Amino acid sequence: DIQMTQSPSTLSASLGDRVTITCRASQSISSWLAWYQHKPGKAPKLLIYRASTLESGVPSRFSGSGSGTEFTLTISSLQPDDFATYYCQHFSSYPWTFGQGTKVEIK
Amino acid sequence: QVQLQESGPGLVKPSETLSLTCSVSGGSINSSSYYWGWIRQPPGKGLEWIGSIYYNGRTYHNPSLKSRVAFFVDKSKNQISLNLRSVTATDTAVFYCARANHDILTGSEAFDIWGQGTLVIVSS
């Protein structure tokens, strides 16, 4: 099974900050990676798929990059609505494993 | 607009079977374009993929749960279902159903539509 490791686990940032979250795969997954935003009591929301393709309706301050084993999710200017937990998930092979999550908190 | 809604008992006794249903509206589950998945989140923990089912009944499971989990498709009701046998307190979680696109040549890319989730507590 492919393991997904996110870093950091928690991130404290201020409004307007540029934020970067890293997701590493235990073996190459090409570009078969998705990123989600999850808020308490709500359904996870798809942000990015195929490592770098922005889902329709997602603000352009979100971007994804990477291929192979290392990927990043960047928020160019942190907004109040962005404080949440972010997860990566690979779709390279079964099982479709999630990373453990990165919680973005207010500094 | 496709919407997913999970339903089932909120409380299950240890050793019993947890059964959940996901009702799909605004679109048909009888499509080769999608896989339908189950994901759970235990309290205070992250998301865990439980498994996915295709419209023709083909299924994939998380190896950690494979021996206890079963999925079903009911095309007449436009629903998918999950059975998790022999539950313990560690199975307490919010359970989500979700839709993943699927291309026969390239595979799936993401869960793009999710239900709101349903909390299931395992307790006597």
Side-chain angles (χ1 to χ4, degrees), chain A residues 36 46 55 91 96, chain B residues 1-4 22 24-29 31 33-39 52 80 97-102 108 110-115:
Chain A
Y36 305 92
L46 175 63
E55 173 71 347
F91 286 82
W96 292 342
Chain B
Q1 180 180 355
V2 176
Q3 293 185 314
L4 282 63
C22 174
V24 179
S25 60
S28 174
I29 63 171
S31 169
S33 297
Y34 304 106
Y35 262 90
W36 305 91
W38 289 96
I39 300 100
S52 293
I80 62 170
C97 62
R99 185 188 80 170
N101 67 313
H102 178 70
S108 297
F111 285 114
D112 62 345
I113 299 177
W114 295 65

PDB file of all heavy atoms in Angstrom, chain A residues 36 46 55 91 96, chain B residues 1-4 22 24-29 31 33-39 52 80 97-102 108 110-115:
ATOM      1  N   TYR A  36      -8.131  18.213  -0.475  1.00  0.00           N
ATOM      2  CA  TYR A  36      -9.445  18.564   0.042  1.00  0.00           C
ATOM      3  C   TYR A  36      -9.300  19.535   1.207  1.00  0.00           C
ATOM      4  O   TYR A  36      -8.318  19.505   1.946  1.00  0.00           O
ATOM      5  CB  TYR A  36     -10.198  17.335   0.565  1.00  0.00           C
ATOM      6  CG  TYR A  36     -10.352  16.219  -0.431  1.00  0.00           C
ATOM      7  CD1 TYR A  36      -9.407  15.194  -0.500  1.00  0.00           C
ATOM      8  CD2 TYR A  36     -11.434  16.181  -1.307  1.00  0.00           C
ATOM      9  CE1 TYR A  36      -9.541  14.162  -1.406  1.00  0.00           C
ATOM     10  CE2 TYR A  36     -11.575  15.142  -2.219  1.00  0.00           C
ATOM     11  CZ  TYR A  36     -10.627  14.145  -2.253  1.00  0.00           C
ATOM     12  OH  TYR A  36     -10.773  13.123  -3.165  1.00  0.00           O
ATOM     13  N   LEU A  46     -13.504  19.254  -2.446  1.00  0.00           N
ATOM     14  CA  LEU A  46     -12.402  19.052  -3.373  1.00  0.00           C
ATOM     15  C   LEU A  46     -11.839  20.394  -3.816  1.00  0.00           C
ATOM     16  O   LEU A  46     -12.573  21.263  -4.260  1.00  0.00           O
ATOM     17  CB  LEU A  46     -12.879  18.259  -4.593  1.00  0.00           C
ATOM     18  CG  LEU A  46     -11.870  18.063  -5.719  1.00  0.00           C
ATOM     19  CD1 LEU A  46     -10.673  17.239  -5.239  1.00  0.00           C
ATOM     20  CD2 LEU A  46     -12.536  17.398  -6.920  1.00  0.00           C
ATOM     21  N   GLU A  55     -10.258  22.609  -9.073  1.00  0.00           N
ATOM     22  CA  GLU A  55     -11.672  22.246  -9.229  1.00  0.00           C
ATOM     23  C   GLU A  55     -12.490  23.497  -9.530  1.00  0.00           C
ATOM     24  O   GLU A  55     -12.206  24.593  -9.020  1.00  0.00           O
ATOM     25  CB  GLU A  55     -12.182  21.573  -7.953  1.00  0.00           C
ATOM     26  CG  GLU A  55     -13.672  21.289  -7.895  1.00  0.00           C
ATOM     27  CD  GLU A  55     -14.137  20.171  -8.815  1.00  0.00           C
ATOM     28  OE1 GLU A  55     -13.364  19.758  -9.691  1.00  0.00           O
ATOM     29  OE2 GLU A  55     -15.274  19.687  -8.622  1.00  0.00           O
ATOM     30  N   PHE A  91      -4.743   8.530  -5.885  1.00  0.00           N
ATOM     31  CA  PHE A  91      -5.621   7.664  -6.677  1.00  0.00           C
ATOM     32  C   PHE A  91      -4.798   6.805  -7.638  1.00  0.00           C
ATOM     33  O   PHE A  91      -5.285   6.375  -8.679  1.00  0.00           O
ATOM     34  CB  PHE A  91      -6.636   8.510  -7.455  1.00  0.00           C
ATOM     35  CG  PHE A  91      -7.714   9.078  -6.588  1.00  0.00           C
ATOM     36  CD1 PHE A  91      -7.498  10.240  -5.854  1.00  0.00           C
ATOM     37  CD2 PHE A  91      -8.946   8.461  -6.480  1.00  0.00           C
ATOM     38  CE1 PHE A  91      -8.479  10.769  -5.026  1.00  0.00           C
ATOM     39  CE2 PHE A  91      -9.944   8.982  -5.661  1.00  0.00           C
ATOM     40  CZ  PHE A  91      -9.704  10.128  -4.935  1.00  0.00           C
ATOM     41  N   TRP A  96      -6.940   3.840  -1.871  1.00  0.00           N
ATOM     42  CA  TRP A  96      -6.817   5.269  -2.101  1.00  0.00           C
ATOM     43  C   TRP A  96      -6.574   5.979  -0.761  1.00  0.00           C
ATOM     44  O   TRP A  96      -7.474   6.538  -0.169  1.00  0.00           O
ATOM     45  CB  TRP A  96      -8.078   5.802  -2.748  1.00  0.00           C
ATOM     46  CG  TRP A  96      -8.325   5.339  -4.159  1.00  0.00           C
ATOM     47  CD1 TRP A  96      -7.410   4.792  -5.021  1.00  0.00           C
ATOM     48  CD2 TRP A  96      -9.566   5.409  -4.868  1.00  0.00           C
ATOM     49  NE1 TRP A  96      -8.024   4.518  -6.213  1.00  0.00           N
ATOM     50  CE2 TRP A  96      -9.334   4.886  -6.169  1.00  0.00           C
ATOM     51  CE3 TRP A  96     -10.849   5.862  -4.547  1.00  0.00           C
ATOM     52  CZ2 TRP A  96     -10.339   4.801  -7.133  1.00  0.00           C
ATOM     53  CZ3 TRP A  96     -11.853   5.793  -5.509  1.00  0.00           C
ATOM     54  CH2 TRP A  96     -11.592   5.264  -6.789  1.00  0.00           C
TER      55      TRP A  96
ATOM     56  N   GLN B   1     -28.166  18.862 -10.385  1.00  0.00           N
ATOM     57  CA  GLN B   1     -27.045  18.879  -9.442  1.00  0.00           C
ATOM     58  C   GLN B   1     -27.095  17.605  -8.594  1.00  0.00           C
ATOM     59  O   GLN B   1     -28.069  17.345  -7.910  1.00  0.00           O
ATOM     60  CB  GLN B   1     -27.135  20.104  -8.553  1.00  0.00           C
ATOM     61  CG  GLN B   1     -26.020  20.211  -7.538  1.00  0.00           C
ATOM     62  CD  GLN B   1     -26.157  21.445  -6.666  1.00  0.00           C
ATOM     63  OE1 GLN B   1     -27.053  22.278  -6.893  1.00  0.00           O
ATOM     64  NE2 GLN B   1     -25.324  21.565  -5.667  1.00  0.00           N
ATOM     65  N   VAL B   2     -26.024  16.838  -8.667  1.00  0.00           N
ATOM     66  CA  VAL B   2     -25.986  15.574  -7.940  1.00  0.00           C
ATOM     67  C   VAL B   2     -25.808  15.838  -6.450  1.00  0.00           C
ATOM     68  O   VAL B   2     -24.963  16.646  -6.052  1.00  0.00           O
ATOM     69  CB  VAL B   2     -24.847  14.690  -8.462  1.00  0.00           C
ATOM     70  CG1 VAL B   2     -24.741  13.422  -7.642  1.00  0.00           C
ATOM     71  CG2 VAL B   2     -25.073  14.362  -9.941  1.00  0.00           C
ATOM     72  N   GLN B   3     -26.597  15.145  -5.651  1.00  0.00           N
ATOM     73  CA  GLN B   3     -26.478  15.241  -4.199  1.00  0.00           C
ATOM     74  C   GLN B   3     -26.477  13.844  -3.606  1.00  0.00           C
ATOM     75  O   GLN B   3     -27.137  12.935  -4.121  1.00  0.00           O
ATOM     76  CB  GLN B   3     -27.632  16.062  -3.610  1.00  0.00           C
ATOM     77  CG  GLN B   3     -27.589  17.527  -4.008  1.00  0.00           C
ATOM     78  CD  GLN B   3     -28.667  18.356  -3.332  1.00  0.00           C
ATOM     79  OE1 GLN B   3     -29.823  17.952  -3.296  1.00  0.00           O
ATOM     80  NE2 GLN B   3     -28.283  19.487  -2.768  1.00  0.00           N
ATOM     81  N   LEU B   4     -25.711  13.688  -2.517  1.00  0.00           N
ATOM     82  CA  LEU B   4     -25.614  12.420  -1.824  1.00  0.00           C
ATOM     83  C   LEU B   4     -26.079  12.608  -0.385  1.00  0.00           C
ATOM     84  O   LEU B   4     -25.769  13.625   0.240  1.00  0.00           O
ATOM     85  CB  LEU B   4     -24.171  11.911  -1.824  1.00  0.00           C
ATOM     86  CG  LEU B   4     -23.618  11.266  -3.105  1.00  0.00           C
ATOM     87  CD1 LEU B   4     -23.583  12.233  -4.262  1.00  0.00           C
ATOM     88  CD2 LEU B   4     -22.236  10.693  -2.847  1.00  0.00           C
ATOM     89  N   CYS B  22     -26.540   5.268   1.154  1.00  0.00           N
ATOM     90  CA  CYS B  22     -26.275   6.561   0.526  1.00  0.00           C
ATOM     91  C   CYS B  22     -27.255   6.708  -0.639  1.00  0.00           C
ATOM     92  O   CYS B  22     -27.205   5.928  -1.600  1.00  0.00           O
ATOM     93  CB  CYS B  22     -24.841   6.620   0.040  1.00  0.00           C
ATOM     94  SG  CYS B  22     -24.415   8.101  -0.896  1.00  0.00           S
ATOM     95  N   VAL B  24     -28.586   8.745  -3.801  1.00  0.00           N
ATOM     96  CA  VAL B  24     -28.061   9.662  -4.803  1.00  0.00           C
ATOM     97  C   VAL B  24     -29.222  10.315  -5.542  1.00  0.00           C
ATOM     98  O   VAL B  24     -30.107   9.619  -6.052  1.00  0.00           O
ATOM     99  CB  VAL B  24     -27.144   8.928  -5.792  1.00  0.00           C
ATOM    100  CG1 VAL B  24     -26.613   9.899  -6.844  1.00  0.00           C
ATOM    101  CG2 VAL B  24     -25.996   8.244  -5.042  1.00  0.00           C
ATOM    102  N   SER B  25     -29.233  11.631  -5.586  1.00  0.00           N
ATOM    103  CA  SER B  25     -30.266  12.360  -6.315  1.00  0.00           C
ATOM    104  C   SER B  25     -29.624  13.280  -7.345  1.00  0.00           C
ATOM    105  O   SER B  25     -28.473  13.688  -7.183  1.00  0.00           O
ATOM    106  CB  SER B  25     -31.133  13.177  -5.354  1.00  0.00           C
ATOM    107  OG  SER B  25     -30.341  14.111  -4.650  1.00  0.00           O
ATOM    108  N   GLY B  26     -30.361  13.569  -8.404  1.00  0.00           N
ATOM    109  CA  GLY B  26     -29.854  14.461  -9.436  1.00  0.00           C
ATOM    110  C   GLY B  26     -28.966  13.777 -10.454  1.00  0.00           C
ATOM    111  O   GLY B  26     -28.405  14.445 -11.327  1.00  0.00           O
ATOM    112  N   GLY B  27     -28.822  12.476 -10.348  1.00  0.00           N
ATOM    113  CA  GLY B  27     -27.988  11.721 -11.280  1.00  0.00           C
ATOM    114  C   GLY B  27     -28.133  10.238 -11.017  1.00  0.00           C
ATOM    115  O   GLY B  27     -28.612   9.845  -9.951  1.00  0.00           O
ATOM    116  N   SER B  28     -27.723   9.432 -11.966  1.00  0.00           N
ATOM    117  CA  SER B  28     -27.883   7.987 -11.839  1.00  0.00           C
ATOM    118  C   SER B  28     -26.574   7.331 -11.395  1.00  0.00           C
ATOM    119  O   SER B  28     -25.497   7.693 -11.851  1.00  0.00           O
ATOM    120  CB  SER B  28     -28.314   7.391 -13.181  1.00  0.00           C
ATOM    121  OG  SER B  28     -28.342   5.978 -13.116  1.00  0.00           O
ATOM    122  N   ILE B  29     -26.695   6.346 -10.495  1.00  0.00           N
ATOM    123  CA  ILE B  29     -25.513   5.587 -10.105  1.00  0.00           C
ATOM    124  C   ILE B  29     -25.169   4.556 -11.181  1.00  0.00           C
ATOM    125  O   ILE B  29     -24.096   3.966 -11.156  1.00  0.00           O
ATOM    126  CB  ILE B  29     -25.698   4.880  -8.745  1.00  0.00           C
ATOM    127  CG1 ILE B  29     -26.818   3.841  -8.814  1.00  0.00           C
ATOM    128  CG2 ILE B  29     -25.945   5.885  -7.646  1.00  0.00           C
ATOM    129  CD1 ILE B  29     -26.889   2.984  -7.569  1.00  0.00           C
ATOM    130  N   SER B  31     -23.909   4.315 -14.010  1.00  0.00           N
ATOM    131  CA  SER B  31     -23.063   5.002 -14.974  1.00  0.00           C
ATOM    132  C   SER B  31     -21.640   4.483 -14.869  1.00  0.00           C
ATOM    133  O   SER B  31     -21.116   4.315 -13.761  1.00  0.00           O
ATOM    134  CB  SER B  31     -23.076   6.512 -14.711  1.00  0.00           C
ATOM    135  OG  SER B  31     -22.073   7.169 -15.455  1.00  0.00           O
ATOM    136  N   SER B  33     -19.179   6.153 -15.534  1.00  0.00           N
ATOM    137  CA  SER B  33     -18.323   7.327 -15.347  1.00  0.00           C
ATOM    138  C   SER B  33     -17.925   7.586 -13.903  1.00  0.00           C
ATOM    139  O   SER B  33     -17.160   8.514 -13.634  1.00  0.00           O
ATOM    140  CB  SER B  33     -19.033   8.581 -15.890  1.00  0.00           C
ATOM    141  OG  SER B  33     -19.253   8.470 -17.272  1.00  0.00           O
ATOM    142  N   TYR B  34     -18.467   6.783 -12.976  1.00  0.00           N
ATOM    143  CA  TYR B  34     -18.209   7.074 -11.564  1.00  0.00           C
ATOM    144  C   TYR B  34     -18.006   5.818 -10.738  1.00  0.00           C
ATOM    145  O   TYR B  34     -18.581   4.779 -11.004  1.00  0.00           O
ATOM    146  CB  TYR B  34     -19.400   7.860 -10.961  1.00  0.00           C
ATOM    147  CG  TYR B  34     -19.715   9.125 -11.701  1.00  0.00           C
ATOM    148  CD1 TYR B  34     -20.829   9.204 -12.525  1.00  0.00           C
ATOM    149  CD2 TYR B  34     -18.875  10.239 -11.611  1.00  0.00           C
ATOM    150  CE1 TYR B  34     -21.107  10.360 -13.228  1.00  0.00           C
ATOM    151  CE2 TYR B  34     -19.152  11.394 -12.325  1.00  0.00           C
ATOM    152  CZ  TYR B  34     -20.267  11.434 -13.128  1.00  0.00           C
ATOM    153  OH  TYR B  34     -20.529  12.578 -13.835  1.00  0.00           O
ATOM    154  N   TYR B  35     -17.157   5.973  -9.724  1.00  0.00           N
ATOM    155  CA  TYR B  35     -17.096   5.052  -8.609  1.00  0.00           C
ATOM    156  C   TYR B  35     -17.785   5.755  -7.437  1.00  0.00           C
ATOM    157  O   TYR B  35     -17.771   6.972  -7.339  1.00  0.00           O
ATOM    158  CB  TYR B  35     -15.638   4.745  -8.226  1.00  0.00           C
ATOM    159  CG  TYR B  35     -15.119   3.453  -8.796  1.00  0.00           C
ATOM    160  CD1 TYR B  35     -14.496   3.424 -10.035  1.00  0.00           C
ATOM    161  CD2 TYR B  35     -15.247   2.266  -8.087  1.00  0.00           C
ATOM    162  CE1 TYR B  35     -14.008   2.235 -10.553  1.00  0.00           C
ATOM    163  CE2 TYR B  35     -14.768   1.076  -8.599  1.00  0.00           C
ATOM    164  CZ  TYR B  35     -14.144   1.062  -9.833  1.00  0.00           C
ATOM    165  OH  TYR B  35     -13.673  -0.119 -10.342  1.00  0.00           O
ATOM    166  N   TRP B  36     -18.346   4.970  -6.550  1.00  0.00           N
ATOM    167  CA  TRP B  36     -19.000   5.499  -5.356  1.00  0.00           C
ATOM    168  C   TRP B  36     -18.258   4.967  -4.137  1.00  0.00           C
ATOM    169  O   TRP B  36     -18.024   3.771  -4.013  1.00  0.00           O
ATOM    170  CB  TRP B  36     -20.477   5.076  -5.334  1.00  0.00           C
ATOM    171  CG  TRP B  36     -21.159   5.482  -6.597  1.00  0.00           C
ATOM    172  CD1 TRP B  36     -21.283   4.740  -7.745  1.00  0.00           C
ATOM    173  CD2 TRP B  36     -21.744   6.757  -6.880  1.00  0.00           C
ATOM    174  NE1 TRP B  36     -21.925   5.473  -8.705  1.00  0.00           N
ATOM    175  CE2 TRP B  36     -22.226   6.705  -8.209  1.00  0.00           C
ATOM    176  CE3 TRP B  36     -21.937   7.929  -6.139  1.00  0.00           C
ATOM    177  CZ2 TRP B  36     -22.857   7.790  -8.815  1.00  0.00           C
ATOM    178  CZ3 TRP B  36     -22.586   8.999  -6.741  1.00  0.00           C
ATOM    179  CH2 TRP B  36     -23.032   8.919  -8.060  1.00  0.00           C
ATOM    180  N   GLY B  37     -17.874   5.895  -3.276  1.00  0.00           N
ATOM    181  CA  GLY B  37     -17.012   5.493  -2.187  1.00  0.00           C
ATOM    182  C   GLY B  37     -17.581   5.769  -0.810  1.00  0.00           C
ATOM    183  O   GLY B  37     -18.524   6.556  -0.650  1.00  0.00           O
ATOM    184  N   TRP B  38     -16.996   5.088   0.174  1.00  0.00           N
ATOM    185  CA  TRP B  38     -17.287   5.334   1.582  1.00  0.00           C
ATOM    186  C   TRP B  38     -15.996   5.749   2.271  1.00  0.00           C
ATOM    187  O   TRP B  38     -14.942   5.121   2.071  1.00  0.00           O
ATOM    188  CB  TRP B  38     -17.875   4.088   2.252  1.00  0.00           C
ATOM    189  CG  TRP B  38     -19.279   3.763   1.819  1.00  0.00           C
ATOM    190  CD1 TRP B  38     -19.654   2.888   0.852  1.00  0.00           C
ATOM    191  CD2 TRP B  38     -20.490   4.331   2.341  1.00  0.00           C
ATOM    192  NE1 TRP B  38     -21.024   2.864   0.738  1.00  0.00           N
ATOM    193  CE2 TRP B  38     -21.563   3.733   1.643  1.00  0.00           C
ATOM    194  CE3 TRP B  38     -20.773   5.262   3.344  1.00  0.00           C
ATOM    195  CZ2 TRP B  38     -22.910   4.052   1.906  1.00  0.00           C
ATOM    196  CZ3 TRP B  38     -22.094   5.574   3.608  1.00  0.00           C
ATOM    197  CH2 TRP B  38     -23.145   4.976   2.892  1.00  0.00           C
ATOM    198  N   ILE B  39     -16.102   6.785   3.075  1.00  0.00           N
ATOM    199  CA  ILE B  39     -14.968   7.326   3.816  1.00  0.00           C
ATOM    200  C   ILE B  39     -15.465   7.583   5.235  1.00  0.00           C
ATOM    201  O   ILE B  39     -16.623   7.955   5.443  1.00  0.00           O
ATOM    202  CB  ILE B  39     -14.486   8.669   3.191  1.00  0.00           C
ATOM    203  CG1 ILE B  39     -14.050   8.467   1.747  1.00  0.00           C
ATOM    204  CG2 ILE B  39     -13.362   9.285   4.006  1.00  0.00           C
ATOM    205  CD1 ILE B  39     -15.093   8.874   0.701  1.00  0.00           C
ATOM    206  N   SER B  52     -14.670   1.429  -2.300  1.00  0.00           N
ATOM    207  CA  SER B  52     -15.460   1.997  -3.387  1.00  0.00           C
ATOM    208  C   SER B  52     -16.142   0.901  -4.176  1.00  0.00           C
ATOM    209  O   SER B  52     -15.671  -0.243  -4.211  1.00  0.00           O
ATOM    210  CB  SER B  52     -14.564   2.823  -4.315  1.00  0.00           C
ATOM    211  OG  SER B  52     -14.074   3.973  -3.671  1.00  0.00           O
ATOM    212  N   ILE B  80     -26.428   3.306  -2.803  1.00  0.00           N
ATOM    213  CA  ILE B  80     -25.358   2.374  -2.466  1.00  0.00           C
ATOM    214  C   ILE B  80     -25.420   2.137  -0.971  1.00  0.00           C
ATOM    215  O   ILE B  80     -25.928   2.986  -0.217  1.00  0.00           O
ATOM    216  CB  ILE B  80     -23.961   2.880  -2.892  1.00  0.00           C
ATOM    217  CG1 ILE B  80     -23.616   4.185  -2.155  1.00  0.00           C
ATOM    218  CG2 ILE B  80     -23.891   3.074  -4.389  1.00  0.00           C
ATOM    219  CD1 ILE B  80     -22.177   4.606  -2.342  1.00  0.00           C
ATOM    220  N   CYS B  97     -20.407   9.205   2.245  1.00  0.00           N
ATOM    221  CA  CYS B  97     -20.342   8.608   0.916  1.00  0.00           C
ATOM    222  C   CYS B  97     -19.928   9.723  -0.053  1.00  0.00           C
ATOM    223  O   CYS B  97     -20.159  10.916   0.204  1.00  0.00           O
ATOM    224  CB  CYS B  97     -21.658   7.965   0.503  1.00  0.00           C
ATOM    225  SG  CYS B  97     -23.081   9.071   0.378  1.00  0.00           S
ATOM    226  N   ALA B  98     -19.306   9.333  -1.138  1.00  0.00           N
ATOM    227  CA  ALA B  98     -18.780  10.318  -2.077  1.00  0.00           C
ATOM    228  C   ALA B  98     -18.696   9.713  -3.472  1.00  0.00           C
ATOM    229  O   ALA B  98     -18.658   8.489  -3.629  1.00  0.00           O
ATOM    230  CB  ALA B  98     -17.400  10.804  -1.620  1.00  0.00           C
ATOM    231  N   ARG B  99     -18.642  10.593  -4.457  1.00  0.00           N
ATOM    232  CA  ARG B  99     -18.562  10.179  -5.858  1.00  0.00           C
ATOM    233  C   ARG B  99     -17.177  10.489  -6.406  1.00  0.00           C
ATOM    234  O   ARG B  99     -16.657  11.593  -6.209  1.00  0.00           O
ATOM    235  CB  ARG B  99     -19.598  10.938  -6.691  1.00  0.00           C
ATOM    236  CG  ARG B  99     -19.671  10.500  -8.145  1.00  0.00           C
ATOM    237  CD  ARG B  99     -20.569  11.404  -8.944  1.00  0.00           C
ATOM    238  NE  ARG B  99     -19.903  12.642  -9.342  1.00  0.00           N
ATOM    239  CZ  ARG B  99     -20.411  13.512 -10.199  1.00  0.00           C
ATOM    240  NH1 ARG B  99     -21.604  13.304 -10.718  1.00  0.00           N
ATOM    241  NH2 ARG B  99     -19.746  14.612 -10.499  1.00  0.00           N
ATOM    242  N   ALA B 100     -16.602   9.501  -7.067  1.00  0.00           N
ATOM    243  CA  ALA B 100     -15.320   9.714  -7.747  1.00  0.00           C
ATOM    244  C   ALA B 100     -15.523   9.523  -9.239  1.00  0.00           C
ATOM    245  O   ALA B 100     -16.146   8.549  -9.667  1.00  0.00           O
ATOM    246  CB  ALA B 100     -14.267   8.744  -7.228  1.00  0.00           C
ATOM    247  N   ASN B 101     -15.005  10.451 -10.038  1.00  0.00           N
ATOM    248  CA  ASN B 101     -15.073  10.259 -11.480  1.00  0.00           C
ATOM    249  C   ASN B 101     -14.243   9.041 -11.864  1.00  0.00           C
ATOM    250  O   ASN B 101     -13.330   8.654 -11.153  1.00  0.00           O
ATOM    251  CB  ASN B 101     -14.563  11.504 -12.206  1.00  0.00           C
ATOM    252  CG  ASN B 101     -13.092  11.710 -11.973  1.00  0.00           C
ATOM    253  OD1 ASN B 101     -12.597  11.636 -10.847  1.00  0.00           O
ATOM    254  ND2 ASN B 101     -12.342  11.934 -13.032  1.00  0.00           N
ATOM    255  N   HIS B 102     -14.561   8.459 -12.995  1.00  0.00           N
ATOM    256  CA  HIS B 102     -13.811   7.280 -13.438  1.00  0.00           C
ATOM    257  C   HIS B 102     -13.718   7.261 -14.958  1.00  0.00           C
ATOM    258  O   HIS B 102     -14.747   7.383 -15.639  1.00  0.00           O
ATOM    259  CB  HIS B 102     -14.466   5.998 -12.959  1.00  0.00           C
ATOM    260  CG  HIS B 102     -13.758   4.761 -13.418  1.00  0.00           C
ATOM    261  ND1 HIS B 102     -12.508   4.401 -12.932  1.00  0.00           N
ATOM    262  CD2 HIS B 102     -14.080   3.831 -14.340  1.00  0.00           C
ATOM    263  CE1 HIS B 102     -12.117   3.294 -13.532  1.00  0.00           C
ATOM    264  NE2 HIS B 102     -13.054   2.918 -14.385  1.00  0.00           N
ATOM    265  N   SER B 108      -9.504   6.944 -11.771  1.00  0.00           N
ATOM    266  CA  SER B 108     -10.221   7.975 -11.032  1.00  0.00           C
ATOM    267  C   SER B 108      -9.255   9.061 -10.567  1.00  0.00           C
ATOM    268  O   SER B 108      -8.059   8.808 -10.408  1.00  0.00           O
ATOM    269  CB  SER B 108     -10.941   7.364  -9.823  1.00  0.00           C
ATOM    270  OG  SER B 108     -11.919   6.446 -10.235  1.00  0.00           O
ATOM    271  N   ALA B 110     -10.486  11.920  -8.170  1.00  0.00           N
ATOM    272  CA  ALA B 110     -10.836  12.597  -6.920  1.00  0.00           C
ATOM    273  C   ALA B 110     -12.283  12.289  -6.570  1.00  0.00           C
ATOM    274  O   ALA B 110     -13.083  11.936  -7.438  1.00  0.00           O
ATOM    275  CB  ALA B 110     -10.671  14.115  -7.062  1.00  0.00           C
ATOM    276  N   PHE B 111     -12.607  12.470  -5.281  1.00  0.00           N
ATOM    277  CA  PHE B 111     -13.994  12.468  -4.845  1.00  0.00           C
ATOM    278  C   PHE B 111     -14.500  13.905  -4.986  1.00  0.00           C
ATOM    279  O   PHE B 111     -14.110  14.781  -4.216  1.00  0.00           O
ATOM    280  CB  PHE B 111     -14.109  11.990  -3.397  1.00  0.00           C
ATOM    281  CG  PHE B 111     -13.932  10.509  -3.225  1.00  0.00           C
ATOM    282  CD1 PHE B 111     -12.855  10.001  -2.532  1.00  0.00           C
ATOM    283  CD2 PHE B 111     -14.855   9.628  -3.774  1.00  0.00           C
ATOM    284  CE1 PHE B 111     -12.695   8.623  -2.364  1.00  0.00           C
ATOM    285  CE2 PHE B 111     -14.701   8.249  -3.619  1.00  0.00           C
ATOM    286  CZ  PHE B 111     -13.620   7.747  -2.922  1.00  0.00           C
ATOM    287  N   ASP B 112     -15.358  14.140  -5.973  1.00  0.00           N
ATOM    288  CA  ASP B 112     -15.759  15.519  -6.232  1.00  0.00           C
ATOM    289  C   ASP B 112     -17.081  15.912  -5.566  1.00  0.00           C
ATOM    290  O   ASP B 112     -17.345  17.105  -5.391  1.00  0.00           O
ATOM    291  CB  ASP B 112     -15.825  15.789  -7.736  1.00  0.00           C
ATOM    292  CG  ASP B 112     -16.856  14.918  -8.440  1.00  0.00           C
ATOM    293  OD1 ASP B 112     -17.326  13.916  -7.856  1.00  0.00           O
ATOM    294  OD2 ASP B 112     -17.191  15.242  -9.594  1.00  0.00           O
ATOM    295  N   ILE B 113     -17.887  14.953  -5.210  1.00  0.00           N
ATOM    296  CA  ILE B 113     -19.143  15.248  -4.527  1.00  0.00           C
ATOM    297  C   ILE B 113     -19.255  14.353  -3.304  1.00  0.00           C
ATOM    298  O   ILE B 113     -19.040  13.136  -3.397  1.00  0.00           O
ATOM    299  CB  ILE B 113     -20.357  15.050  -5.462  1.00  0.00           C
ATOM    300  CG1 ILE B 113     -20.258  15.996  -6.658  1.00  0.00           C
ATOM    301  CG2 ILE B 113     -21.664  15.295  -4.704  1.00  0.00           C
ATOM    302  CD1 ILE B 113     -21.358  15.829  -7.674  1.00  0.00           C
ATOM    303  N   TRP B 114     -19.594  14.960  -2.175  1.00  0.00           N
ATOM    304  CA  TRP B 114     -19.672  14.257  -0.901  1.00  0.00           C
ATOM    305  C   TRP B 114     -21.049  14.461  -0.272  1.00  0.00           C
ATOM    306  O   TRP B 114     -21.675  15.503  -0.441  1.00  0.00           O
ATOM    307  CB  TRP B 114     -18.631  14.811   0.076  1.00  0.00           C
ATOM    308  CG  TRP B 114     -17.205  14.587  -0.304  1.00  0.00           C
ATOM    309  CD1 TRP B 114     -16.552  15.099  -1.396  1.00  0.00           C
ATOM    310  CD2 TRP B 114     -16.249  13.823   0.413  1.00  0.00           C
ATOM    311  NE1 TRP B 114     -15.247  14.678  -1.396  1.00  0.00           N
ATOM    312  CE2 TRP B 114     -15.027  13.900  -0.293  1.00  0.00           C
ATOM    313  CE3 TRP B 114     -16.294  13.071   1.599  1.00  0.00           C
ATOM    314  CZ2 TRP B 114     -13.866  13.246   0.149  1.00  0.00           C
ATOM    315  CZ3 TRP B 114     -15.143  12.434   2.035  1.00  0.00           C
ATOM    316  CH2 TRP B 114     -13.954  12.525   1.312  1.00  0.00           C
ATOM    317  N   GLY B 115     -21.470  13.471   0.492  1.00  0.00           N
ATOM    318  CA  GLY B 115     -22.617  13.662   1.362  1.00  0.00           C
ATOM    319  C   GLY B 115     -22.199  14.447   2.586  1.00  0.00           C
ATOM    320  O   GLY B 115     -21.006  14.687   2.811  1.00  0.00           O
TER     321      GLY B 115
END
